[in-house]
């Protein structure tokens, strides 16, 4: 009698609306990686010697490493010689004003709802837009300069602030860190750089928007944020990519440094192309993100909403070095169709009285596989350190999976570690209950999912919390009928 | 006068097994009917079919709601049209605040009927008025839907939802089961207060004791998928004293 009522499977189905390709003339290197390619990337960017050498060291180290496969994700071997490691919109390398930017490029960001021009002013968010491997535009730089805040593309930082880059680059994620971080260190093309001077509270949200456009290229950007003593910054990154049949590799590195009393809030709304319903195409998002709370009473807070990518492999982490420093990780990860996510965090407690909180919400629909993988370490020196972890999984339908791999190491007897976990399922009975009160299936699922995620959404800057909710409902559209 | 609910020769089943074997029933505005019967007689199946739960097959017959074919409407449209089911086992929805849920439900119904949606303040004023009727703690509204509610609270919450949504046809599926006598009185009182000349109620119950507090206009006895007897409220008392066996035997003899 209800043949026309679609079932749970159908509700998580929806189209990826950022899948368009922009007709932009691209300057890219032929596929393949070797020392010559790295020298070429560095030369094209006019980099100082120290950076070229660092890249080469990273490359040589990378050649000794094997691609890691401990994550709970299945995918065919990646041919690293088939990827192009550099793609840039062909036109001026630097724009002196927005008027010089290729209108097609501006249109792209306009379509994505990224405010680069007048709208940026209204939104009050400073944006650095990265297309393929190159930073396209950074807004609000002048205004931020008044506060001594540096917010620019990584390339610009290399040119204008080489001392800061040399001091901090690789200080949190060394080029030897892991396979993908080494690869990134060798070939990274651009990214965002941010420095907040002593005692300054950044007066607006800073945001980087990443867009992969060119085919058969990898995106390897690097973000470095340094918050000097007593400063504060809230930072947001967003990402999308066109629909393509082949998988594309995104191997980024993010490093955060918080000095004494500084606070960094880093939020991600990740919406890379997830592949189609059968699992064709989509981005491999293999990202290393780590922050170090260097100084006393510093704080780093990661918030992520992961809805895209064919495979997600990322563990935004905090090294809690400074006494009484605080690390936080709030995560919503959604997998639908054939998406696979292996994500979580590492909280490394070194300083005394350090505290960390982990709240992870995994949502699996379709045939999605969602894993939480976490490490909490209490080093010998971490007297009275505390961690609280909460990992909740929500299943929609009966062909998806949720997995939890918490790892806890305690070497100090005064440390406290708590871990809570739940798994629940959106059942047909819950949906019918909502239906019987006049609420449609789609609204019922949105309501339940939003309720499930609200502790994380609360951590996002206001306007992005709204966006995240919308994104989630679009991602899950059609997963229940 | 047009009945609010008219069931005509309804036969239905689940997974190839026939459960309802020809039910006919008319409920007019202002009326309350009770359906009684032993376990497994098809009472809850009837409630589920009226609300549009998935998985039931209609073999033949029809169900008219205010003259319209009810069976062709989606469950949410039935609700928006004014059909309400008080669940025998109210479902828990973790993470969804009760007040938020009820406000969303009410506004769906209002939107469907072309009425302006209520904002949070208007809604709270309304719900605080209704909650007194059920003697429920306002704190309940801040908790996730039915999560951690006692059995009695769940049932009272169903009637609270009914009070807020003001359905034209309310089907109460064993709302009395699992209630102690005080809770039973509260629920019964709530239901009585919601009786209006322009609405109707169908109360499904196994026991007569609910009918000490709610007085139906008609009592139907459902046995093995058939209504074997329909009479006034005194039938409930007879059932209470003689048990269902008596009527099952009667039914067999008649057939």
């Amino acid at each position: 009698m209800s043949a026309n009522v679609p079932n749970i499977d159908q509700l998580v189905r929806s189209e990826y609306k950022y899948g368009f390709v922009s007709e932009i003339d691209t300057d890219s290197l032929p596929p393949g990686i070797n020392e010559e390619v790295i020298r070429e990337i560095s030369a094209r960017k006019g980099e100082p010697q120290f950076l070229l050498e660092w890249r080469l060291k990273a490359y040589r180290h990378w050649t000794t490493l094997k691609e890691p496969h401990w994550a709970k994700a299945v995918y065919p071997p990646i041919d690293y010689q088939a990827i192009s490691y550099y793609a840039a919109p062909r036109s001026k390398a630097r724009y002196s004003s927005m008027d010089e930017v290729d209108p097609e490029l501006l249109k792209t960001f306009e379509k994505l709802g990224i405010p680069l021009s007048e709208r940026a002013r209204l939104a009050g968010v400073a944006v650095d837009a990265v297309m393929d491997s190159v930073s396209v535009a950074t807004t609000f730089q002048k205004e931020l300069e008044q506060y001594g805040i540096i917010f620019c593309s990584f390339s610009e930082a290399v040119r204008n602030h080489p001392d800061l880059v040399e001091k901090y680059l690789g200080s949190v994620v060394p080029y030897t860190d892991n396979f993908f971080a080494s690869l990134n260190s060798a070939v990274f093309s651009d990214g965002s750089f941010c420095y907040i001077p002593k005692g300054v509270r950044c007066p607006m949200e800073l945001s980087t928007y990443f867009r992969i456009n060119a085919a058969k290229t990898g995106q390897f950007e690097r973000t470095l944020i340094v918050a000097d003593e007593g400063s504060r910054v809230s930072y947001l990154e967003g990402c999308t990519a066109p629909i393509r049949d082949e998988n594309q590799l995104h191997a980024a590195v993010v490093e955060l440094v918080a000095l004494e009393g500084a606070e960094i809030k880093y939020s991600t709304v990740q919406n890379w192309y997830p592949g189609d319903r059968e699992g064709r195409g989509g981005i491999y998002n293999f990202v290393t993100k780590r922050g170090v709370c260097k100084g006393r009473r510093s704080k780093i807070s990661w918030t992520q909403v992961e809805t895209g990518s064919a495979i997600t492999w990322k563990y935004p982490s905090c090294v809690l070095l400074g006494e009484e420093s605080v690390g936080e990780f709030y995560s919503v990860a959604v997998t639908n169709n054939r998406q696979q996510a292996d994500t979580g965090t590492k909280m490394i407690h070194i300083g005394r009285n350090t505290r960390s909180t982990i709240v992870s919400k995994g949502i699996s629909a379709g045939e999605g596989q969602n894993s939480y993988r976490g490490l909490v370490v209490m080093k010998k020196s971490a007297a009275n350190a505390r961690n609280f972890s909460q990992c909740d999984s929500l299943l929609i339908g009966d062909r998806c999976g949720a997995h939890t791999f918490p790892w806890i190491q305690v070497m100090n007897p005064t440390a406290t570690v708590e871990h809570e976990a739940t798994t629940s399922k959106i059942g047909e009975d819950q949906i019918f209950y909502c239906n019987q009160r006049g609420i449609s299936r789609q609204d019922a699922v949105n309501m339940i999912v939003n309720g499930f995620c609200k502790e994380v959404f609360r951590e996002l800057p206001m306007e992005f919390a709204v966006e995240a909710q919308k994104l989630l409902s679009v991602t899950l559209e059609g997963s229940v009928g | 006068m047009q009945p609010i609910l008219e069931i005509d020769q309804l036969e239905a089943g689940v997974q190839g097994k026939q459960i309802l074997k020809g039910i006919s029933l008319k409920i007019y505005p202002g009326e309350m009917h009770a359906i009684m019967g032993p376990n497994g007689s098809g009472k809850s199946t009837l409630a589920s079919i009226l609300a549009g739960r998935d998985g039931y097959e209609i073999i033949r017959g029809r169900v008219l709601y205010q003259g319209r074919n009810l069976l062709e409407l989606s469950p949410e449209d039935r609700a928006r049209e004014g059909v309400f089911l008080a669940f025998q086992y109210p479902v828990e929805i973790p993470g969804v605040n009760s007040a938020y849920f009820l406000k969303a439900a009410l506004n769906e119904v209002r939107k469907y009927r072309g009425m302006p949606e209520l904002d949070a303040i208007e809604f709270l004023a309304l719900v605080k008025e209704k909650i007194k009727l059920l003697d429920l703690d306002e704190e309940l509204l801040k908790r996730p839907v039915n999560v951690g509610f006692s059995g009695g609270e769940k049932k009272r919450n169903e009637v609270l939802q009914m009070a807020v949504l003001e359905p034209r046809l309310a089907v109460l599926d064993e709302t009395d089961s699992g209630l102690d006598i005080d809770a039973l009185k509260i629920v019964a009182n709530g239901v009585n207060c919601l009786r209006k000349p322009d609405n109707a109620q169908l109360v499904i119950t196994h026991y007569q004791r609910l009918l000490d507090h709610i007085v139906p206009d008609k009592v139907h006895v459902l046995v093995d998928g058939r209504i074997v007897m329909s009479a006034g409220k005194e039938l409930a008392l007879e059932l209470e004293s003689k048990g269902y066996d008596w009527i099952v035997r009667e039914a067999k003899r008649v057939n």
Side-chain angles (χ1 to χ4, degrees), chain A residues 121-142:
Chain A
R121 223 160 280 276
L122 298 172
V125 178
V127 178
D128 183 23
V130 178
M131 173 81 133
D132 289 327
S133 298
V134 163
S135 171
V136 170
T138 310
T139 62
F140 275 115
Q141 270 174 320
K142 289 231 162 58

Side-chain angles (χ1 to χ4, degrees), chain A residues 2 430 433 436-438 454, chain B residues 54 80 85 92 95 158 161:
Chain A
S2 40
Q430 286 174 325
Y433 190 75
Q436 215 302 307
R437 299 301 183 250
K454 66 184 167 210
Chain B
D54 210 1
R80 294 164 187 165
L85 173 65
E92 296 185 4
E158 291 293 288
Q161 294 182 16

